Amino acid sequence: MAHYTIAIVGAGPAGYFTAQALQNSQTPGLTFSIDMFERLPTMWGLVRSGVAPDHPKIKSVSKVFEKIANEPNFRLFGNIEIGTDIDIEELCPRYDAVVMCTGTNVGNKLGIPGEDLPGSLSAADFVPWYNGHPDYTHVNVPLDGDTAVIIGAGNVAMDCARMLALDPTELDTTDTASHALAALHASNIRKVYIAGRRGPEHAAFTSPELRELPKLEHTDVIIDAQAVEEAHDRATSSGDIDKHLASNLEAWRLIAETDPVGHARSMEFIFLSAPIEIKGDGKVEEVIFAVNEIHDGKVVATEKVHSIQTNLVISAIGYKARPIPGISLLNGKIENEDGRVLGTNIYTVGWAKRGPSGVIGTNKSDAADVVKLLIEDLDPVPKQGGDISVVIPQAITIIDQGGWSKINAAEVAAGEPLGKPRFKVVDRSELIALAE
Ligand code: NAP
């Protein structure tokens, strides 16, 4: 019988699904001890700090995560940052394998003039701000203007747009961070544009997200019916279209056919608009777009431009991995081959491995694939690396599974009288005190 010790870095979906894949791979002759490291005192990664608060059902996967974490072969080391508090060089020799599930949390840049003006944010800052990530509570989100512009045509852009365009009373019963909820209640924003640089037929939104838009109770959702028909004609002109695109085109038609009610709040899609400059005197005042056209299936820039006056621009155009000392990055991901970091006992799963694509469940199959390779690679004789506890700096308060359970229970209890699934604590020292 061989018993191996595996470290997982990052307590998000990829991390938990990796732990689950290891647990599911155990046999009488092959067993694992799993140590999961997380730099925050709170767990669940994007399920806590990414998923939009008005989509609570998606967060129910956290029950699965807790089941995995309560298995006897699982230990949690929260509030410890690998690469800072413990070096990769200290970690690797102590484990048979180390699986980096650290995601991608740096927003891609547009690379256009004016992008760094106050009022121009990345979704990588805005999303954790409204979700109560302790490192993002002080992000400055100017909500005093009447218009916001979201750049990008993916589900993150859609989440950002809904958070700004919903009536904030709809968020009162969600786990939106209290600082963000107060700011959204005071917000003057009434018009939210979502700008895609290609056509509706190319948008990365998924159909369920599009189909919920006509059902919004306090927000008109607008798309030009002609733009939808043109997208439909372009998409079908080359023959059969796949079922996801067909479903999206149908969803666009439903949105176009739903007449605006005249709500004070609206969300409007504009397409074939590529941002080329953000203008303003000391802060964002205007976004300039180049008008694109599509010829023979190719997106072609024209000389034409249009602009939108706004004080808030949020770019939701993808993410890249944050550098971790001792880990080599390539194209915004951890440099890897099918999840193996060649020449090391390091593996990677999730967005850190494959880039920011797919839904939470995608990480389950990804984790299973990488764990299969990891098991193939294991030395016949497990390492005797010694317990990691001896290298954890004394000054650090470790949040173990018991501590995290206390934080979790306290937040849920605090949310109950307010009709919320939880009331998030966003201050690190308060979180640590709750765990102790
Ligand atoms: P995404 O789906 O890859 O969309 C990124 C968007 O940014 C695309 O429309 C892309 O346009 C655009 N873009 C990239 N560079 C640009 C530029 N320089 N100027 C203008 N537009 C630019 O990424 P995401 O929205 O960040 O989502 C990441 C993943 O999380 C996706 O798989 C998504 O489905 C998932 N997610 C799911 C949910 C949900 O299930 N509810 C919620 C949030 C996120 P081009 O196509 O033209 O490159």
Side-chain angles (χ1 to χ4, degrees), residues 55 58 110 151-157 159 197-198 202 204 206 209 275 316-319 351 356-359:
H55 281 169
I58 299 180
L110 289 164
I151 293 172
N155 284 336
V156 171
D159 286 349
R197 62 181 170 180
R198 298 192 285 154
H202 303 120
T206 45
E209 278 61 35
I317 57 165
Y319 299 87
W351 283 9
S357 67
V359 292

Side-chain angles (χ1 to χ4, degrees), residues 250-408:
E250 176 61 28
W252 286 124
R253 275 190 170 153
L254 287 173
I255 296 168
E257 284 164 7
T258 307
D259 287 330
V261 175
H263 289 305
R265 296 167 192 276
S266 67
M267 188 195 282
E268 180 164 351
F269 292 91
I270 52 170
F271 283 97
L272 296 169
S273 294
I276 51 172
E277 186 174 0
I278 299 174
K279 282 188 170 170
D281 185 8
K283 65 180 174 61
V284 170
E285 290 172 1
E286 188 179 19
V287 196
I288 316 288
F289 293 96
V291 175
N292 285 336
E293 288 176 357
I294 301 180
H295 297 295
D296 299 329
K298 289 203 177 70
V299 179
V300 183
T302 68
E303 300 279 294
K304 288 179 266 178
V305 295
H306 71 94
S307 78
I308 298 176
Q309 310 279 319
T310 180
N311 301 131
L312 176 60
V313 178
I314 298 174
S315 47
I317 57 165
Y319 299 87
K320 59 186 178 190
R322 183 206 304 258
I324 298 173
I327 298 288
S328 151
L329 302 183
L330 183 67
N331 300 328
K333 299 175 267 189
I334 292 179
E335 192 171 1
N336 75 91
E337 215 169 84
D338 300 329
R340 288 179 168 120
V341 176
L342 299 182
T344 71
N345 64 339
I346 303 174
Y347 297 78
T348 179
V349 170
W351 283 9
K353 170 202 168 202
R354 59 176 204 276
S357 67
V359 292
I360 289 163
T362 313
N363 296 300
K364 194 170 174 171
S365 49
D366 195 14
D369 291 346
V370 175
V371 162
K372 209 164 156 244
L373 298 182
L374 181 158
I375 291 172
E376 274 170 33
D377 293 350
L378 286 169
D379 281 338
V381 181
K383 239 180 222 169
Q384 302 293 322
D387 197 82
I388 193 68
S389 305
V390 297
V391 297
I392 296 176
Q394 294 257 309
I396 289 179
T397 307
I398 301 166
I399 308 289
D400 62 10
Q401 183 59 20
W404 161 236
S405 299
K406 285 186 199 163
I407 295 173
N408 191 13

Side-chain angles (χ1 to χ4, degrees), residues 62-114:
S62 58
K63 290 199 185 79
V64 176
F65 298 165
E66 289 308 291
K67 196 163 173 282
I68 295 163
N70 282 304
E71 288 292 315
N73 68 343
F74 183 101
R75 290 194 302 179
L76 180 65
F77 294 84
N79 197 35
I80 297 179
E81 186 159 4
I82 300 302
T84 305
D85 301 321
I86 301 176
D87 292 340
I88 288 286
E89 294 76 16
E90 286 177 303
L91 191 72
C92 290
R94 288 185 161 74
Y95 290 92
D96 294 290
V98 170
V99 190
M100 302 297 292
C101 303
T102 40
T104 53
N105 41 19
V106 178
N108 285 340
K109 300 282 267 182
L110 289 164
I112 61 173

Side-chain angles (χ1 to χ4, degrees), residues 213-251:
L213 296 179
K215 298 178 199 151
L216 295 183
E217 279 182 48
H218 303 106
T219 310
D220 284 332
V221 180
I222 301 163
I223 181 163
D224 177 36
Q226 196 186 329
V228 172
E229 288 318 308
E230 285 171 7
H232 191 272
D233 292 347
R234 286 191 299 262
T236 48
S237 66
S238 51
D240 282 348
I241 52 174
D242 78 47
K243 66 176 194 307
H244 297 292
L245 178 54
S247 180
N248 269 16
L249 289 170
E250 176 61 28

Side-chain angles (χ1 to χ4, degrees), residues 103-143:
T104 53
N105 41 19
V106 178
N108 285 340
K109 300 282 267 182
L110 289 164
I112 61 173
E115 185 173 17
D116 295 325
L117 282 169
S120 163
L121 311 183
S122 166
D125 297 322
F126 179 60
V127 173
W129 171 76
Y130 64 62
N131 272 327
H133 188 301
D135 296 348
Y136 294 83
T137 52
H138 300 298
V139 172
N140 180 22
V141 184
L143 299 170

